[in-house]
Amino acid sequence: MVTQAKALMQRFVQRRAKKGAGQDYATSHWKLMYRELKRHKLARISLYILGFFYLVALLGGFIAPQGLESYSGEYMNSAPTKLRMIDANGKFHIQPFVYGLKSERDPETLRKRFVEDPEQLFPVKLFVHGSSYSFLGLFKTDIHLFGVDEPGRIFLFGTDSMGRDMFSRVVLGSQVSLTLPLVGVSISFLLGLLIGGISGYAGGRVDAVIQRFIDIVRSFPTLPLWMALAAAIPPRVGVVEMFFYITIIMAFIEWTGLARVVRSKFISLRSEDYVTAAKIAGVSDLRIIFAHLVPGFISYLVVAATLAIPGMIIGETAMSFLGLGIRSPATSWGVLMQEAQQIENVALYPWKLIPLLFVIVTVLAFNFLGDGLRDAADPYSHGNGAKSAKRKGKRKWVSLKSKKKQLEA
């Protein structure tokens, strides 16, 4: 009876092992990353937020009620407009509406301010005509997502000192603040991976020359270098093109940190057995670098890329804030925060800090997404995967023990 129970027990364990092996090894690494990423709530929420922001940036001209050159001197520094569905008489309206605006003087500060006029009611309409723009760069149109009829005004985030709609400028500014950093990060990421990989894989004099060049590049102070680069670009270059050039030049400087880390990883991995076997098999050095060595620390590369993007966004914001980047009439989130330099201006018009909230949310979303991708790419590096595996192993041992008792009985 005991011998039969042991035989059944061995067969049961073999079936469980085969089943587990089939489930684990038949799944690709990217599918495992996707499965782990779905379990990370903060990363999943951050991915949705970033997807929404980039969708808004893609459809910026359609979503923004006004264009970059639209302004109204009559409504300078106007507070955000309130969307209402119940009027002053208590009547409910199915369609949202806004009241008209009229100016008056504050009796204490004598400052001009705008208040709602309940006698003027303007329903918010969808797909209205406005300023023309290029839809996805394909064709010209003047259809906007929402708006009100003249002489009504709708300012969801208020207006700036020139009477320009802050909501429209935040939406259109996201096209610069979210897109151009991707270009810079892509260039710096490729350079750091390639040059750092060559330095760590080749070693010797090649490594020494590359490391001394990196030391020279990293010795330049950032802010004076930004100012020098901004002064070196010809003044006739357009404002957006100017910052595009600055972003590319910044990318040629920011790659040094990643190159140092990649070099250290390659030095530790180039002596592994699978690398030696690839050399003996006649595999080219470039293929060994990208097909055998890079996947060994893909989790760090993913985190480095996701953390470099918010760093580039902050860099763009700082440059535009200091007047070294985008300039009007073009806009970005950094340009919008230039009016928030003075404390008095912020105290009187606090809605001018709204672009700062978008910068904070975007940077936090990229950081949380980077944490989730890091854990998904290497789930056993921080203990979450180890703890879950330990719990699974404990449950498996308990189930096998109870199965053995049942067979012996």
Side-chain angles (χ1 to χ4, degrees):
M1 184 67 181
V2 176
T3 306
Q4 185 179 3
K6 289 183 178 181
L8 291 174
M9 185 66 185
Q10 292 178 356
R11 270 182 279 175
F12 176 75
V13 172
Q14 291 175 359
R15 285 197 301 268
R16 291 292 298 270
K18 290 180 180 179
K19 183 178 180 181
Q23 291 177 350
D24 293 338
Y25 295 105
T27 306
S28 65
H29 179 68
W30 297 108
K31 288 184 179 180
L32 291 175
M33 286 183 60
Y34 175 72
R35 186 186 305 170
E36 292 294 330
L37 183 62
K38 289 196 302 183
R39 300 175 183 175
H40 200 291
K41 293 183 179 179
L42 280 178
R44 191 170 64 250
I45 295 174
S46 300
L47 185 61
Y48 294 152
I49 293 175
L50 292 175
F52 175 74
F53 280 1
Y54 276 97
L55 180 62
V56 171
L58 182 64
L59 304 176
F62 171 69
I63 297 176
Q66 299 181 10
L68 290 177
E69 298 179 356
S70 301
Y71 70 95
S72 177
E74 299 177 1
Y75 299 97
M76 295 185 300
N77 297 319
S78 176
T81 307
K82 297 181 180 179
L83 290 176
R84 299 180 180 274
M85 300 188 72
I86 301 177
D87 58 19
N89 299 324
K91 182 180 178 181
F92 177 79
H93 295 255
I94 298 178
Q95 187 176 5
F97 66 91
V98 296
Y99 284 131
L101 299 176
K102 60 180 181 180
S103 62
E104 64 177 19
R105 290 289 176 179
D106 191 320
E108 297 181 359
T109 62
L110 299 180
R111 178 173 55 90
K112 183 180 179 180
R113 65 181 182 181
F114 296 91
V115 295
E116 295 178 335
D117 185 5
E119 297 181 357
Q120 299 181 12
L121 189 147
F122 301 97
V124 178
K125 299 181 179 180
L126 297 177
F127 308 110
V128 298
H129 293 275
S131 58
S132 62
Y133 62 94
S134 178
F135 183 76
L136 301 179
L138 301 176
F139 55 88
K140 288 281 187 177
T141 182
D142 61 350
I143 303 297
H144 295 263
L145 179 61
F146 65 94
V148 295
D149 295 333
E150 294 289 342
R153 293 291 186 271
I154 178 170
F155 305 124
L156 296 181
F157 292 166
T159 61
D160 59 7
S161 58
M162 295 182 62
R164 295 173 295 190
D165 180 30
M166 288 289 293
F167 175 79
S168 299
R169 293 177 64 80
V170 167
V171 171
L172 297 175
S174 65
Q175 296 177 337
V176 174
S177 297
L178 294 179
T179 304
L180 291 185
L182 294 179
V183 179
V185 169
S186 300
I187 296 174
S188 63
F189 192 78
L190 181 61
L191 287 176
L193 185 60
L194 182 61
I195 298 177
I198 293 174
S199 177
Y201 184 77
R205 294 182 178 179
V206 175
D207 182 28
V209 171
I210 292 177
Q211 294 308 308
R212 300 295 77 78
F213 177 73
I214 291 177
D215 291 337
I216 295 174
V217 173
R218 293 176 65 90
S219 64
F220 289 102
T222 304
L223 186 58
L225 184 61
W226 284 352
M227 299 175 66
L229 294 176
I233 297 177
R236 294 183 179 180
V237 177
V239 287
V240 178
E241 290 81 358
M242 182 188 69
F243 180 72
F244 182 75
Y245 293 144
I246 294 177
T247 303
I248 294 178
I249 297 174
M250 286 177 58
F252 280 96
I253 300 173
E254 296 296 330
W255 60 269
T256 55
L258 179 63
R260 283 279 176 88
V261 177
V262 172
R263 169 184 175 269
S264 63
K265 294 289 185 180
F266 272 45
I267 291 176
S268 61
L269 293 176
R270 67 185 181 185
S271 59
E272 295 291 335
D273 294 338
Y274 64 90
V275 178
T276 305
K279 292 180 180 179
I280 296 174
V283 181
S284 62
D285 293 339
L286 195 61
R287 182 173 177 80
I288 291 176
I289 290 176
F290 288 99
H292 297 280
L293 293 178
V294 172
F297 56 99
I298 189 66
S299 61
Y300 176 82
L301 296 179
V302 171
V303 175
T306 52
L307 295 181
I309 293 175
M312 193 71 72
I313 292 175
I314 294 176
E316 180 273 326
T317 304
M319 291 180 64
S320 299
F321 182 78
L322 296 174
L324 303 177
I326 297 293
R327 298 187 182 95
S328 297
T331 186
S332 69
W333 290 345
V335 173
L336 296 177
M337 290 192 299
Q338 284 184 346
E339 295 192 3
Q341 296 182 18
Q342 300 178 358
I343 299 179
E344 297 84 359
N345 201 6
V346 175
L348 295 175
Y349 317 113
W351 56 86
K352 293 184 179 181
L353 288 177
I354 291 179
L356 178 62
L357 300 179
F358 285 90
V359 175
I360 295 175
V361 172
T362 303
V363 172
L364 289 178
F366 271 111
N367 289 334
F368 290 144
L369 180 60
D371 292 338
L373 290 174
R374 177 194 58 198
D375 297 338
D378 191 7
Y380 291 92
S381 60
H382 293 275
N384 294 331
K387 291 179 180 179
S388 61
K390 186 176 180 180
R391 290 195 298 267
K392 291 180 181 178
K394 185 177 181 180
R395 290 196 299 267
K396 185 182 293 185
W397 180 81
V398 172
S399 62
L400 291 177
K401 185 177 181 181
S402 60
K403 187 70 175 178
K404 182 178 179 180
K405 289 182 178 180
Q406 292 178 1
L407 292 174
E408 290 179 352

